[in-house]
Amino acid sequence: MPGVCGCCGALRPRYKRLVDNIFPEDPEDGLVKANMEKLTFYALSAPEKLDRIGAYLSERLSRDVARHRYGYVCIAMEALDQLLMACHCQSINLFVESFLKMVRKLLEADKPNLQILGTNSFVKFANIEEDTPSYHRSYDFFVSRFSEMCHSNYEDPDIRTKIRMAGIKGLQGVVRKTVNDELQANIWDPQHMDKIVPSLLFNLQSGEGTESRSPSPLQASEKERESPAELTERCFRELLGRSAYGNIKNAVTPVLMHLDNHSLWEGKTFAVRCFKIIMYSIQSQHSHLVIQQLLGHLDANSKSSATVRAGIVEVLLESAAIAASGSVGPTVLEVFNTLLRHLRLSVDYELTGSYDRINIGTKIIKEHEERQLQEAVIRTIGSFANTLPTYQRSEVMLFIMGKVPIPGMHPTLPSTGSGPEGNRMIQVMLLKSLRQVTCGFQTTNMLTALPNSFLDPLLSFALLEDAEIRLLVLEILVSLIDRHDNLPKFSTIRLVIISDISVLKLKVDKCSRQDNLFMKKHAQHLYRHIYLCSKEQSSMQPHFEKLYSLLALISMELANEEVVVDLIRVALALQDLALSSEEMLPVYNRCAIHALSSAYLNLISQLTTVPAFCQHVHEVIEMRQKESPYLLPEDVFIENPKIPKTLEKLEGELLFQQAKITEVLGGSGYNTERLATPYVPQFTDEDRLSKRKSVGETISLQVELNGVKLCVYSPVDSVGVEEQEKERRRQVVEKFQKAPFEEIAAHCGARATMLQSKLNQIFEITIRPPPSPSGTITSSYGQTQSRSVPVYEMKFPDLCVY
């Protein structure tokens, strides 16, 4: 008689009676605690009944929800929570299914209070560590529902905030419950991350005004923690902190897509904030993965507007600053190659005015935006370089130098329609990038850090007509040589000649063996470029200030006795250059060279600590201050230089005397013979660069010598001759491009043979056998012969001796 038994309460199963007893007659009275304790004890004593208890509670809750008896719904959820917290046995899995079914029922309800109630219960459940794994449990619904709650648009703002915060807490609970359980569906799969991450970013953006103040928001007040933005940030940090090596990409990709879809790169602020959170939250050894994703995203947006690309580059800049040393990863050069490629693209876009050559005019290029992007790329290159050790930074310097178009040394970059002006601009941009990389560069062995393959092309730029390029080269050289941060102390020297430089507290180290080798190899090149750069008519105040800094830093960083002597000779040669009437230098340049020479001799005289030398320099400076102040830095290196219209011939006490300096330094053990020899720069084929534009547009002047044409590089003033020369060069280039290889080889071979023949004729005429110490001798055939002289007894002219 089952019907009779069902109607009799005493015959109902015990677990049902215990469940019924926890509900009071009036729901306002809340859970009956005494009866709840009995139910908990029963569940612990008979864990096999847990699934039935859960099923019955679920049944009652569903009925109460349908009847809108929300008081009893709250009591049922409270009972479920207590049972979950108390029971950690193997049978809890079946109970959890009933629990999750009830939570789902609440989340599907239209009432915000029920949604929040269900979320709170789920969060409590998420914090429980289960003893046994579950093979069949799914959280897909909860990810979708909590993400939907994060985007709630409920009319009441207070309730809307509560719903959104409940959604954020629910997502946090899902992550905690699944991230460490290998048997669960992978929460890092794109299908889940594409819902979770945008939901978090949506709420993070709503509180964009509260900038992240530190790597961890633990200092936030209790009120701030209760805002959706602060809660979101903590949840986002927890999610990223739990990500392993293989999950970083899936977590970052939705961030990139969200910033794309909502045009958030342009503002930069929010994008930077997002990636600051990412970089501070993930494990430091994974930082390079984020940077690589950003680089790939920059490539994907190569034809986007300059503001979008600039935003991505700005995020790269901030991310590199946060990343630990060496975190760029194994593909260091790939990073710089990508940035340099986008620098080149930006230059092309600026000059051509279009992102697309096929559909020109589809997008309007704004020049100032491209310039801002270029500056951002250059800053980012420097930021990446600062994270690298010295040896890697040297590789990057060589890599960038290899990208600079240098005719005759490095080929120009492939033409993209921007023409010579594009090559000139890319030269400037790459040198600016190089300046950023060399900023703060310090090495104990400059010989290995700055090989010929780097210094030779760099120094060649110091001879170009382009003043901006020459200034960049000087800034790079100064940055490389300044290893003890002496440069900031020169700001007073360049304006006022200091009578006692000890107040500047300069750091002067003894020249090491490696530095001696470096100067032995490169000193003459440095002197030569300093001298030739000084005589350029387009040199202005910044150039002369950097030339002074370069001379001063060489004196303090790389100077031995021989170098000091040579530097003094260079300074005196600069004085002679300013006095020379052959150079046709403007008055300002002459005064600036005199000021440069006087400022440097004042410094080097005090560094040598030879009293007589110092006295001579000070006497000349005092005389100039009285009679010719326009020969000193105070009147020349200022905004409005105080210089005369014409410069009269200078002589006597206004000039530094080489004989006097040789005498006083010779008494202190310096090489008087070397000091007495005026410095003359060594001119080489490289000097042909000095008269060409930045891209190297040179004009070859053909000189006929006994029917053989020799190329001598010199400027041609005649427009007609220049046009003829360009046409001839065009024909030569066309011939070498289109003619068969055998014809080109035969042509070059014939010219080489002809040239060698003519040279042999010249040598036969000019070279005579060396004279015999005993005169001539007569051979058996009656002919006069010169007796041969051993090589070690021959006297060669000085010019033949290296």
Side-chain angles (χ1 to χ4, degrees), residues 16 50 57 70 78 103 133 146 155 210 270 370 392 425 431 453 571 635 684 704 710 717 750:
K16 286 189 176 182
L50 260 177
L57 274 170
Y70 300 124
E78 184 179 354
V103 171
F146 289 138
E155 295 180 357
T210 57
F270 180 70
E370 292 295 340
Q392 279 191 322
M425 285 185 64
L431 287 174
S453 55
D635 282 14
T684 66
E704 287 287 335
L710 301 176
D717 297 326

Side-chain angles (χ1 to χ4, degrees), residues 524 565-573 576 658-659 661-663 671-681 798:
Q524 295 304 321
V565 169
D566 283 340
L567 288 170
I568 295 172
R569 292 171 61 221
V570 171
L572 294 172
D576 294 339
Q658 183 156 359
I661 294 175
T662 301
E663 178 185 349
N671 188 335
T672 55
E673 182 179 353
R674 193 175 184 86
L675 277 168
T677 306
Y679 172 77
V680 178
D798 292 340

Side-chain angles (χ1 to χ4, degrees), residues 285-296:
Q285 65 268 28
H286 299 161
S287 297
H288 68 279
L289 297 175
V290 179
I291 291 172
Q292 287 176 349
Q293 274 192 269
L294 283 168
L295 290 169

Side-chain angles (χ1 to χ4, degrees), residues 168-182:
I168 297 167
K169 292 177 181 178
L171 289 177
Q172 189 177 31
V174 172
V175 172
R176 288 179 178 175
K177 197 64 181 174
T178 60
V179 72
N180 293 323
D181 191 349
E182 296 180 358

Side-chain angles (χ1 to χ4, degrees), residues 688 697-705 708-718 720-726 728-729 751:
R688 60 190 168 84
E697 296 177 347
T698 60
I699 302 168
S700 314
L701 180 62
Q702 299 295 331
V703 179
E704 287 287 335
L705 178 61
V708 180
K709 292 182 179 180
L710 301 176
C711 286
V712 181
Y713 290 84
S714 63
V716 178
D717 297 326
S718 171
V721 176
E722 183 177 351
E723 293 298 328
Q724 294 176 9
E725 181 63 26
K726 287 185 177 179
R728 186 196 64 78
R729 291 172 63 194
R751 292 192 61 183

Side-chain angles (χ1 to χ4, degrees), residues 1-9 11-12:
M1 299 175 60
V4 176
C5 294
C7 296
C8 182
L11 299 178
R12 286 167 59 81

Side-chain angles (χ1 to χ4, degrees), residues 2-21 56:
V4 176
C5 294
C7 296
C8 182
L11 299 178
R12 286 167 59 81
R14 185 181 179 188
Y15 74 89
K16 286 189 176 182
R17 295 199 307 271
L18 291 174
V19 170
D20 290 336
N21 292 338
Y56 185 60

Side-chain angles (χ1 to χ4, degrees), residues 578-628:
L579 294 172
S580 174
S581 59
E582 298 177 359
E583 297 296 339
M584 302 297 291
L585 291 173
V587 174
Y588 174 80
N589 292 60
R590 293 181 184 276
C591 294
I593 294 173
H594 277 297
L596 168 64
S597 179
S598 60
Y600 176 67
L601 286 173
N602 174 69
L603 174 69
I604 195 65
S605 65
Q606 297 186 57
L607 289 176
T608 56
T609 64
V610 178
F613 185 21
C614 296
Q615 182 180 354
H616 172 66
V617 172
H618 288 161
E619 287 175 355
V620 174
I621 291 174
E622 288 176 2
M623 185 61 65
R624 290 186 177 186
Q625 288 171 342
K626 293 177 182 179
E627 300 185 9
S628 306

